[in-house]
Amino acid sequence: MSDAVTRFYLDQLPEAQLKNNTLHAPCPFCGGRDGREANLVVFLQPDSFFHGYFRCAEGCAASGFPLHFARLRGTRLAQVPGYDPDREYFGREVDYPVRNLNNELAGFSDKLTAESAARLHGAAITARTLAELRVGHNGRYLVYPYVQPDGNCYAARCVHPERPEDFFWYGDERFFAPEYRVFNAPEIDRCENGTLFVVEGEENLLCLKQLGLPGVAVPAAADLEHLDPRRFEWIGTLFLWVGHNAESAALARVFATRAGFKVRIVRWPENAPKNASLHSLATEQPEAFQQRVFALIREARAFSPFPSPAGEFHTFTERLAQEAGEGWAGLTTGFARLDRALGGLHGLNILGGTPK
Ligand SMILES: [Zn+2]
């Protein structure tokens, strides 16, 4: 008997074929358009973090989990496994201005050339991924639009194409504020009940998006301090991936402590170069990139401010070993049958009234 999510997709996509935990079907969002047969892929593996994650091979619609699929398709949400009509979504009560940068973004996208995006193409990020995240160029700087949950862009971060430390904010000043600094924010809703990555730096998110993974970015690890974990309330698992340096790692831990057990911090291997990032990994080892990313994701453990069960067990057995000694041998209770049953006295339990 298949699980609810698998049954939901099989019901929604009657022509689908299940092969190796992956469902293949003609894409219901773009299929038939221009006479093309685009393939929709749904990843189905109940014990995986990406169970129910769908993706159109043509990239016609943004990927996501079952609730996003149903919203795109106009399916009744009550049919979707995991739907909860009583949910409230943090951060929706914002009065957005009438004026936005949407039209300007199209102009910036047109100005993006192979030369201005050389640093990104060097990390194997394709023009399609850049178009999906509406990355542009203003003539001198790369323009990363900070699209808000309402789907509009009011502010963008302009970053020098070669020197990421050289940047400025552009647009409506109100949206330069720390609480609005989430790049690709609409992805949070698309991943409801599913898994999402939070990374440091837009270019690092682009590297993950290139692999088809869902995520958002903060401009720098320091911005994690202003990121309210309630925004991720309905995300099942949050992978947090920052650069390989002590400061970012410390900021990631502080955020994870606030967000709780749903966070899995992706750890860099001991031998990774200092300040390694997804971008540097993709630039230096493009062939091995995908494999290394998935290996590190598999190793990421759920975050807990407490010692792990394995650690607790180790401490407990060590203490027992230290406390064990010859001292107890030969002690008897004085009750012959009790001594025979228990093999002597091993400790004291007070039964009956409360200890005094
Ligand atoms: Zn499609």
Side-chain angles (χ1 to χ4, degrees):
M1 189 65 189
S2 56
D3 69 289
V5 170
T6 305
R7 285 199 303 274
F8 166 75
Y9 279 112
L10 287 172
D11 181 48
Q12 289 289 315
L13 305 163
E15 294 171 58
Q17 293 193 332
L18 191 59
K19 272 184 266 172
N20 302 328
N21 300 320
T22 318
L23 201 64
H24 298 263
C27 175
F29 307 114
C30 69
R33 197 193 290 172
D34 309 334
R36 274 184 316 186
E37 272 284 288
N39 192 21
L40 185 90
V41 174
V42 188
F43 188 68
L44 293 170
Q45 197 169 15
D47 54 355
S48 144
F49 294 114
F50 299 96
H51 183 48
Y53 182 64
F54 73 90
R55 211 172 133 67
C56 167
E58 289 294 319
C60 72
S63 313
F65 287 85
L67 278 167
H68 174 55
F69 182 93
R71 288 186 181 119
L72 272 182
R73 248 205 134 173
T75 307
R76 223 159 42 85
L77 292 179
Q79 293 180 5
V80 185
Y83 171 64
D84 175 357
D86 296 330
R87 275 189 186 174
E88 288 186 12
Y89 298 86
F90 178 78
R92 289 270 173 98
E93 29 332 289
V94 176
D95 284 325
Y96 290 108
V98 179
R99 223 180 91 83
N100 60 47
L101 298 180
N102 299 357
N103 288 336
E104 264 181 88
L105 293 184
F108 292 144
S109 295
D110 291 344
K111 282 194 201 137
L112 189 71
T113 59
E115 198 192 349
S116 53
R119 186 181 153 88
L120 301 173
H121 291 320
I125 297 162
T126 59
R128 197 166 104 177
T129 302
L130 295 175
E132 190 190 328
L133 286 138
R134 296 157 80 184
V135 178
H137 194 255
N138 70 357
R140 288 190 60 204
Y141 284 75
L142 287 169
V143 180
Y144 291 113
Y146 274 57
V147 178
Q148 293 304 313
D150 72 337
N152 296 313
C153 177
Y154 306 98
R157 201 167 83 98
C158 303
V159 183
H160 193 282
E162 297 304 323
R163 297 189 307 273
E165 63 284 359
D166 177 1
F167 71 90
F168 62 91
W169 287 92
Y170 174 76
D172 187 331
E173 218 170 277
R174 212 179 113 202
F175 293 90
F176 301 173
E179 63 266 36
Y180 296 107
R181 289 185 203 159
V182 177
F183 180 61
N184 201 28
E187 194 110 304
I188 300 175
D189 288 348
R190 298 195 281 260
C191 293
E192 185 172 349
N193 288 349
T195 296
L196 183 77
F197 283 83
V198 178
V199 303
E200 164 188 29
E202 300 89 346
E203 60 181 20
N204 293 319
L205 178 65
L206 290 168
C207 295
L208 284 184
K209 292 293 293 178
Q210 186 62 44
L211 300 182
L213 294 169
V216 298
V218 287
D223 293 291
L224 288 171
E225 207 182 318
H226 307 284
L227 188 57
D228 197 317
R230 282 177 291 179
R231 293 188 74 161
F232 306 107
E233 194 167 6
W234 309 121
I235 298 290
T237 304
L238 208 57
F239 281 102
L240 185 54
W241 201 336
V242 294
H244 186 39
N245 63 75
E247 193 192 348
S248 293
L251 290 159
R253 280 186 70 85
V254 172
F255 176 77
T257 308
R258 288 194 290 129
F261 61 90
K262 70 171 63 174
V263 175
R264 284 175 175 256
I265 298 181
V266 181
R267 284 172 214 286
W268 291 98
E270 294 284 321
N271 57 2
K274 191 167 158 33
N275 290 325
S277 65
L278 284 157
H279 180 272
S280 70
L281 198 62
T283 309
E284 284 151 27
Q285 302 177 329
E287 323 76 38
F289 181 62
Q290 177 163 357
Q291 206 187 354
R292 293 206 60 189
V293 164
F294 282 101
L296 290 173
I297 294 171
R298 269 194 299 276
E299 282 168 25
R301 296 277 167 261
F303 176 79
S304 166
F306 306 109
S308 66
E312 292 269 22
F313 181 72
H314 181 72
T315 317
F316 176 66
T317 47
E318 271 204 337
R319 209 183 77 213
L320 275 188
Q322 276 171 13
E323 289 179 1
E326 297 301 303
W328 298 106
L331 276 183
T332 56
T333 60
F335 298 100
R337 292 179 68 183
L338 186 63
D339 286 338
R340 264 205 306 283
L342 299 178
L345 183 64
H346 299 279
L348 283 181
N349 283 311
I350 297 169
L351 302 174
T354 48
K356 297 201 171 53

